[in-house]
Every structure is written in C-alpha cells, then in structure tokens.
Amino acid sequence: SAVDACKTSNGGCSVKAECRRTTPGNRACVCNAGYTGDGIVCIEINPCLENHGGCDKNAECTQTGPNQAVCNCLKGYSGDGKRCTYISLCSQNNGGCSEFAICNDTVLTERTCTCKPNYIGDGFKCRGNILQELLRNSNTSRFYNHLEAASVRDITGPGPFTLFVPRSDILNSDPQVKDWTAKGMMAQVLRYHIVGCASLLYNDLTKITNITSLQGDPIHISYSQNSLVLNNKAEIILSDAVGTNGVIHVINQILVP
C-alpha cells in the first residue's frame, strides 16, 4: 500500500500547518488560517503591520492572536477604534473653567481657561466687580438689595473700594433696619460700611487702626487673638473676596455711625 507521507510528525510540516496527501508518498504543507509561510515554517500574521490593522490613525492597534487585532482610540479621542474623533475638553462643562471664562483647547487633553474681559481670576474662578460679587453670594446678596433700594450707587465706579458687609441673615433679623429705612437713614448706614479709594485686604487691615467711611465717620479697627474687630463689636468672619474694583469682607454685626 502507498506510504502516507503525513502519518508521522505531521509529515514534517509546521505544527501550525495542515499536512495534505497529494500523490502516493507525497504531501503538501498548508499554513493554518492566521499564519503565513511555506508550510514547513509558518509565522503568525500580525495584522497591525499592514495598513495599521484597519485602525484609525489616532488609535492603537494591538495584536490579540493569529491575524487578529483590536483597535483602541488614543487618549483624547473617542470612537470604536476603527474611527476615532477628537474630544474637545471645552465642549463639556466649559472644560471645567469658570462660567465667566473662555476655554481654549490647546494640545491633546490640554486646555486653557482665561477670564473674560471685566473679570479677574485664574480662569477656574473669575470674579466681576464688587456689585456682581455681592449678588452672587447668599451671605452678601441682602446688602446688594439694600444698596439698590436706597439708591446707593457709589460702588458702581472704578474704585477701588473696601466693603464691610453684614451677613444677609443679620440684615434680615435686625429690627433697626426697618426703622432706618422708614426714617430715610438707610443710605447713610450702608455708606458707613464702604471705604473709598482703597482695596484693603485682611492683612492690610491688621496694620491700621482707623479708616474713614464714605458716610464720613471713621471706623475703628482692632486686631487681637487672630481676629479683626470693627468698632469693638463687629468681627470679620469672611474676608478677601476680591473683585475688579475692590474687596468684600463679611462681618457679623451691622456698623452704626
């Protein structure tokens, strides 16, 4: 009977090949799917080496087996790997910048935040003028309402100004406020909380003892045990909210001229 050339050692073919009997005593070696070669030697096909494995140019091609690969979009891109599109950081939530900032995509996975004109800050936090800042914060918004009601317009100018603002709940609960409003004195009380021509930060205030308010009367400042007290009664509880034309400090009592 004819010799089966494939009977022993796969007919001398590669273990990654199929031995096929041809004429009696002869055989042909054919590499398995996913392999290439002459059948005696079969090498795994790496699809990534040709046409980037069909992946997008902004994707990584990773061989997973013989003539098998996966495509994964690079950082900064999204898609199925065959097609990857650039993710604009600025397109989502303004890129994490302030609502008052301009977000610019720079290079991959990078962006810059720049405060809009008439705002100051680092781009992540941007502040407008002190009137805008009063309104944005619940601690100080009541003071803003009183300024509007009493037509106190001093702080709309370029400044700089320093404001000592009684917290909103204090302005709401102090019975004197109604009395001053009825007597037409509220504007003078409010102006007593404003200092013109100076943007005085907390640290600056620790070094002075008297400043003159827009109302005309002086405000006495004392600093002891790490706290700043005005007129021996009102303590600064929040400080250094800096706007484009001044600074706001929140106090825990109303100053009375």
Side-chain angles (χ1 to χ4, degrees):
S1 65
V3 176
D4 181 353
C6 293
K7 194 172 184 185
T8 55
S9 302
N10 200 30
C13 300
S14 163
V15 292
K16 305 293 186 187
E18 182 190 354
C19 181
R20 292 179 187 168
R21 289 165 66 186
T22 52
T23 53
N26 293 310
R27 56 94 178 101
C29 300
V30 182
C31 291
N32 294 340
Y35 293 84
T36 183
D38 60 4
I40 309 294
V41 175
C42 293
I43 299 164
E44 203 172 272
I45 296 168
N46 181 354
C48 296
L49 299 177
E50 192 176 327
N51 193 28
H52 197 42
C55 302
D56 188 274
K57 65 178 170 49
N58 293 306
E60 187 177 33
C61 181
T62 309
Q63 186 186 359
T64 55
N67 206 21
Q68 292 174 315
V70 291
C71 305
N72 291 303
C73 293
L74 297 173
K75 193 177 175 189
Y77 291 87
S78 71
D80 61 2
K82 300 284 185 189
R83 191 160 177 272
C84 300
T85 50
Y86 175 59
I87 303 166
S88 162
L89 287 178
C90 294
S91 67
Q92 297 166 318
N93 193 30
N94 201 29
C97 304
S98 161
E99 59 180 311
F100 304 112
I102 295 158
C103 179
N104 275 314
D105 285 293
T106 49
V107 293
L108 270 184
T109 69
E110 300 270 328
R111 53 91 182 87
T112 60
C113 301
T114 313
C115 291
K116 290 176 180 174
N118 302 320
Y119 286 89
I120 54 168
D122 59 6
F124 297 98
K125 201 164 188 181
C126 297
R127 290 198 168 104
N129 63 44
I130 47 179
L131 264 181
Q132 290 169 302
E133 293 308 308
L134 284 173
L135 193 54
R136 279 175 63 193
N137 189 323
S138 62
N139 280 318
T140 57
S141 57
R142 194 83 190 103
F143 189 79
Y144 172 91
N145 296 338
H146 280 294
L147 290 174
E148 287 291 297
S151 297
V152 177
R153 298 264 182 271
D154 304 85
I155 60 172
T156 55
F161 302 99
T162 301
L163 268 60
F164 300 107
V165 179
R167 210 172 55 210
S168 290
D169 60 328
I170 290 146
L171 281 170
N172 283 337
S173 61
D174 195 315
Q176 295 178 98
V177 173
K178 269 187 182 169
D179 193 35
W180 289 324
T181 305
K183 291 178 179 170
M185 292 168 57
M186 199 59 194
Q188 288 309 310
V189 173
L190 293 168
R191 293 177 92 240
Y192 186 52
H193 292 78
I194 304 167
V195 176
C197 306
S199 186
L200 298 165
L201 298 173
Y202 191 92
N203 200 37
D204 303 320
L205 294 169
T206 63
K207 298 163 189 160
I208 48 181
T209 52
N210 283 291
I211 40 173
T212 305
S213 69
L214 285 186
Q215 178 266 347
D217 286 351
I219 300 167
H220 176 68
I221 303 171
S222 52
Y223 179 66
S224 67
Q225 295 176 324
N226 290 333
S227 71
L228 270 171
V229 178
L230 312 180
N231 292 348
N232 298 318
K233 61 176 253 180
E235 188 181 341
I236 292 178
I237 49 176
L238 294 165
S239 60
D240 295 355
V242 178
T244 53
N245 63 338
V247 60
I248 299 165
H249 304 285
V250 179
I251 54 177
N252 64 357
Q253 296 225 25
I254 298 172
L255 302 176
V256 183

